[in-house]
Amino acid sequence: MSSSSSTQDDPSLNSSSFASKSKPLSKKSRKALNETPEYILRGKLDLCSKHGNLKDALHLYNSARIDGITLSVHHYNVLLYLCALSASESGSVSSSIEGLEKGFEIFRQMGVDKVDPNEATFTSMARLAVAKKDPEMAFDLVKEMKASGISPKLRSYGPALFGFCEKGDADGAYKVDAHMLECGVVPEELELRALLKVSVDARRGDKVYEMLHRLRTVVRQVSEETARLMVDWFESETASGIGVENWDMGKVKEGVVKGGGGWHGQGWLGSGKWSVVKAEMDKKGVCCGCGEKLVCIDIDPKETESFATSLSSLACEKEKRVNFLQFQEWLKTHGPFDAVVDGANVGLINTHNFSFRQLINVVNQLQNISPSKKLPLIILHRSRVYGGPAKNPNTKRLLESWMKAGALYATPQGSNDDWYWLYAAVSSKCLLVTNDEMRDHLFQLLGNSIFPRWKEKHQVRMTVSRSGLALHMPPPYSIVIQESETGSWHIPTVIGDDLETPRQWLCATRATKTRSKIRTRAQ
């Protein structure tokens, strides 16, 4: 079991320069620095790191010690990284043993040389400890890191967590998990899946329940591997024997209200065997398997306000500040809107050439369904507003009428339209029309807490067919793991996208409450 989020990054890819950041070096000084033995060694070790070449790196290390070259924390980190990499390889026993032995030897020498370790150092040593089949040592290293005033990262915990899980030591894994939470480190799906598996294997129903809820808050739609693990749990004898036949419905409803809907947190309800099938949701959010209707989980208005504020701050960092502030003032005058249109995205759907006809079609549809019959806000780059097809007399008149009505905003030269249409939609608390999946680096900056939930509730997507362009409104239910008041579970997977291919869900209900037609859905 491994995790990309828990493995150590190659130190040669993200290290800082020897040069001082506060005072730029002259050309002559830079040249002198680049010719020092320490810098030359650094470059050669980085090359070894890039190619995973421990043998040459160790030769360079031995030569450097003979020549009296002073090694920095970066030099040591590259060496430890390569030792850990070699020790964790399953292909060669000899290289694995060499990596282990040399790794611990180099770490001891680092202490003799009085070179202070950093987070990358401890992470490599934790990986070496796990390669030695000693997750307890890996965990001790993380605790030592924290005691030294170094903040552990998710990758720092990975070796110990996965090491305990692979050994089937559930209690050890839970201790690592507790330490992570204490340090404010949030596990991702790989870590939670490992915790879920060790809980299933240990028949710890209480911890399985906990992990399902934590997955609900972190990943929303689960991977196929995680989904298979959930099926294993629900189909187990342990799951059949856990639950209560009589429960306090008042507490369950109270839990649902406090949680915002979609879960109650009161534990396993019901008794007896589970029926687990693959199912789809109809347009109203009714499960085609069990007939239960999913809920739409509310977003706290304060969360939305906080989201708009953080979005504004990021936009001012990435965009020319004066331009974005001017846009915000414009919005205060002309907003709020019932819908915002990503003009470029709409105009280029299924076509290489920008189509104002498609844009006009969408604008008309949105105005017709608007409660106030107000025009939506169209965001377009100024080059599309004043150049190319926009010069057509009819198009020009239409654009001028939109602008006069305060429904068109031309983003300035050199700007990124995405910041403008997203901020406008969030601040107006309205619909956003775009087929942009919002997965690139820009949107990753927004984090994974409220953004996916906001997008789910506000994004309107489009399809183009012979009958024209159709708008697809946000689903009337939340695409997230849901626990019902009767104890059933609905778990969305990553298979399907609800538009062209319906999303596949796992429907888990107690067999006594499951309709017979569900069984046919699993085929």
Side-chain angles (χ1 to χ4, degrees):
M1 187 182 299
S2 62
S3 166
S4 58
S5 63
S6 64
T7 55
Q8 180 185 352
D9 295 329
D10 183 342
S12 67
L13 301 179
N14 54 15
S15 56
S16 60
S17 172
F18 278 132
S20 170
K21 294 181 180 180
S22 59
K23 186 177 180 181
L25 296 175
S26 66
K27 187 176 181 180
K28 184 177 180 181
S29 297
R30 282 198 303 271
K31 184 179 179 182
L33 176 65
N34 293 344
E35 293 175 351
T36 61
E38 291 78 11
Y39 194 90
I40 293 170
L41 174 62
R42 177 193 181 95
K44 289 179 178 179
L45 282 175
D46 285 351
L47 195 60
C48 289
S49 181
K50 181 179 179 181
H51 297 290
N53 190 338
L54 175 61
K55 182 179 179 181
D56 286 355
L58 290 175
H59 176 73
L60 288 167
Y61 169 68
N62 293 329
S63 297
R65 298 212 63 80
I66 293 170
D67 295 338
I69 297 174
T70 302
L71 273 67
S72 69
V73 67
H74 177 80
H75 293 123
Y76 276 114
N77 281 345
V78 172
L79 288 160
L80 292 173
Y81 164 77
L82 287 168
C83 287
L85 192 66
S86 177
S88 61
E89 289 177 350
S90 57
S92 171
V93 176
S94 59
S95 65
S96 178
I97 293 173
E98 181 183 34
L100 273 174
E101 292 177 347
K102 290 296 182 182
F104 285 100
E105 177 189 315
I106 289 169
F107 185 61
R108 284 192 294 271
Q109 186 60 50
M110 189 176 180
V112 172
D113 290 347
K114 300 189 185 309
V115 177
D116 292 332
N118 59 17
E119 184 272 333
T121 314
F122 281 111
T123 299
S124 281
M125 291 309 300
R127 294 182 65 207
L128 281 164
V130 169
K132 195 180 175 183
K133 307 298 181 185
D134 193 345
E136 194 68 58
M137 180 191 290
F139 188 27
D140 286 341
L141 283 160
V142 176
K143 289 185 281 190
E144 183 182 341
M145 182 192 312
K146 185 174 185 293
S148 301
I150 302 170
S151 298
K153 296 181 180 180
L154 181 58
R155 69 178 188 180
S156 311
Y157 287 98
L161 179 65
F162 289 107
F164 280 123
C165 289
E166 285 174 359
K167 288 182 69 174
D169 186 345
D171 289 332
Y174 299 149
K175 287 178 183 176
V176 177
D177 180 44
H179 198 276
M180 289 171 66
L181 297 177
E182 182 186 321
C183 293
V185 177
V186 180
E188 297 177 356
E189 183 173 6
L190 284 170
E191 290 75 26
L192 289 173
R193 183 166 68 221
L195 287 162
L196 177 61
K197 186 177 188 309
V198 80
S199 300
V200 170
D201 293 343
R203 302 179 181 181
R204 291 285 301 273
D206 57 331
K207 298 301 287 189
V208 171
Y209 187 82
E210 176 191 333
M211 297 310 157
L212 287 182
H213 277 300
R214 287 171 65 182
L215 278 162
R216 176 184 57 80
T217 60
V218 174
V219 297
R220 300 175 72 77
Q221 300 97 46
V222 303
S223 66
E224 292 181 68
E225 190 174 347
T226 303
R228 284 195 295 270
L229 183 56
M230 291 178 172
V231 172
D232 290 343
W233 162 254
F234 283 112
E235 291 183 345
S236 70
E237 288 298 323
T238 306
S240 299
I242 292 179
V244 293
E245 294 187 10
N246 300 304
W247 59 87
D248 188 335
M249 200 61 205
K251 284 187 176 180
V252 171
K253 288 184 177 295
E254 183 182 344
V256 170
V257 172
K258 285 184 176 179
W263 69 287
H264 52 73
Q266 300 302 302
W268 301 108
L269 305 182
S271 62
K273 288 188 176 181
W274 291 83
S275 176
V276 188
V277 297
K278 292 180 180 178
E280 297 169 5
M281 301 298 150
D282 68 14
K283 292 182 178 180
K284 294 182 179 179
V286 175
C287 177
C288 297
C290 66
E292 190 166 305
K293 188 173 182 179
L294 298 189
V295 302
C296 186
I297 300 169
D298 293 334
I299 297 177
D300 189 329
K302 290 182 179 178
E303 284 186 297
T304 304
E305 291 295 335
S306 177
F307 182 39
T309 301
S310 63
L311 181 57
S312 173
S313 298
L314 276 170
C316 286
E317 287 178 19
K318 302 297 178 181
E319 291 289 303
K320 192 173 180 180
R321 184 178 177 84
V322 65
N323 287 341
F324 200 78
L325 291 176
Q326 185 177 357
F327 172 63
Q328 289 179 302
E329 288 301 316
W330 184 92
L331 268 180
K332 289 178 182 177
T333 302
H334 298 88
F337 295 89
D338 294 327
V340 174
V341 180
D342 174 5
N345 186 271
V346 172
L348 290 169
I349 293 176
N350 284 21
T351 178
H352 293 295
N353 299 315
F354 189 87
S355 170
F356 273 104
R357 179 177 296 179
Q358 284 186 172
L359 180 57
I360 294 167
N361 184 348
V362 167
V363 170
N364 289 340
Q365 286 191 59
L366 290 170
Q367 186 175 22
N368 287 335
I369 64 175
S370 167
S372 63
K373 299 304 177 186
K374 183 178 180 180
L375 282 166
L377 170 60
I378 305 107
I379 301 291
L380 265 181
H381 194 273
R382 64 178 297 104
S383 61
R384 296 197 186 279
V385 174
Y386 298 108
K391 292 181 178 179
N392 176 283
N394 291 332
T395 303
K396 187 177 181 181
R397 279 195 294 271
L398 178 66
L399 292 173
E400 287 174 350
S401 70
W402 284 351
M403 199 166 284
K404 187 176 181 180
L408 173 64
Y409 192 87
T411 56
Q413 195 70 32
S415 63
N416 186 334
D417 294 5
D418 296 0
W419 291 114
Y420 291 79
W421 49 254
L422 181 57
Y423 177 79
V426 172
S427 61
S428 290
K429 302 178 180 64
C430 69
L431 297 174
L432 170 62
V433 184
T434 181
N435 274 6
D436 191 322
E437 290 300 328
M438 295 178 261
R439 290 174 180 157
D440 62 22
H441 176 67
L442 182 156
F443 300 107
Q444 294 303 316
L445 296 173
L446 300 173
N448 294 315
S449 55
I450 187 177
F451 183 42
R453 288 182 286 145
W454 182 90
K455 185 172 70 166
E456 177 184 281
K457 283 179 168 291
H458 295 268
Q459 183 179 8
V460 178
R461 295 193 286 171
M462 301 154 284
T463 54
V464 179
S465 62
R466 290 181 180 178
S467 57
L469 190 150
L471 299 179
H472 299 269
M473 293 296 148
Y477 57 94
S478 295
I479 305 171
V480 64
I481 296 174
Q482 295 200 22
E483 176 191 29
S484 76
E485 294 181 15
T486 60
S488 298
W489 289 78
H490 289 89
I491 302 159
T493 70
V494 293
I495 303 173
D497 67 356
D498 296 320
L499 197 58
E500 296 170 358
T501 306
R503 187 178 301 282
Q504 296 294 303
W505 291 67
L506 289 182
C507 168
T509 58
R510 298 284 186 179
T512 53
K513 296 182 180 180
T514 305
R515 297 180 181 181
S516 58
K517 71 175 183 178
I518 291 180
R519 297 186 183 280
T520 63
R521 300 291 303 175
Q523 305 300 319

